[in-house]
Amino acid sequence: EESVEARAMQRVDAVTKRTILLNERRLHEIENMHREYDDVQRSKEKLQKDNQALRFEVELKQKEARELAEKVSQLKGEKEKMAKALQEHGSAEHEWHQVSERGDKQTLVLQMMVRTLEDRVAKQAK
């Protein structure tokens, strides 16, 4: 009987040891999972802060882009005004050259007429 009892106790001891080892492993796994969860939470919080910072930067860049677009639009308007003014100035300058050329032609014609008249006067004087 004692040997049966002793063997039964040994089996109980072996099962108890296996159960204790299994429970220790499970506890260790649970502790690791808690550590991993904490790491994930910290990473999540960091990513959320980074996300907020990036969103803020994006808003600033969008604002800058809008301001630059407005400035470009203003500069285009000024460029168009200047181009129109230059075109008008060019037209006026072209017209002035035409008038000047006409004036030069008229001056030449008048000079030729004066010479012709001077020649006639000179001939009559002889």
Side-chain angles (χ1 to χ4, degrees):
E1 264 183 56
E2 285 182 31
S3 66
V4 172
E5 228 177 272
R7 275 188 272 152
M9 284 303 281
Q10 286 174 351
R11 279 190 234 132
V12 169
D13 286 344
V15 169
T16 303
K17 283 182 184 179
R18 276 188 248 136
T19 304
I20 289 172
L21 284 174
L22 183 63
N23 286 341
E24 285 177 353
R25 283 187 203 138
R26 286 180 181 164
L27 179 63
H28 185 66
E29 287 177 11
I30 290 171
E31 288 172 347
N32 284 340
M33 291 171 94
H34 279 290
R35 273 191 230 102
E36 287 177 19
Y37 177 79
D38 290 341
D39 289 344
V40 168
Q41 281 298 107
R42 281 191 293 276
S43 295
K44 177 185 169 190
E45 289 170 4
K46 185 181 181 301
L47 288 172
Q48 286 175 332
K49 286 179 184 177
D50 290 347
N51 187 24
Q52 282 180 327
L54 289 172
R55 285 179 188 255
F56 181 72
E57 283 185 49
V58 165
E59 287 177 18
L60 289 178
K61 295 298 180 188
Q62 287 174 337
K63 182 180 177 185
E64 286 178 27
R66 284 191 299 272
E67 290 171 355
L68 286 174
E70 289 175 16
K71 184 150 187 132
V72 165
S73 177
Q74 288 175 346
L75 291 174
K76 280 184 181 178
E78 290 176 17
K79 178 184 169 189
E80 289 172 6
K81 285 179 187 176
M82 290 177 77
K84 188 175 180 180
L86 283 173
Q87 187 178 16
E88 289 173 0
H89 177 72
S91 296
E93 191 172 310
H94 178 69
E95 288 175 19
W96 182 82
H97 281 296
Q98 286 179 338
V99 168
S100 176
E101 287 175 12
R102 272 188 260 131
D104 290 345
K105 288 177 185 174
Q106 289 175 351
T107 302
L108 284 173
V109 169
L110 288 174
Q111 286 175 346
M112 289 173 56
M113 289 174 75
V114 167
R115 282 191 196 127
T116 305
L117 288 173
E118 287 175 347
D119 288 344
R120 283 186 191 167
V121 170
K123 283 182 186 177
Q124 286 177 0
K126 289 181 180 178

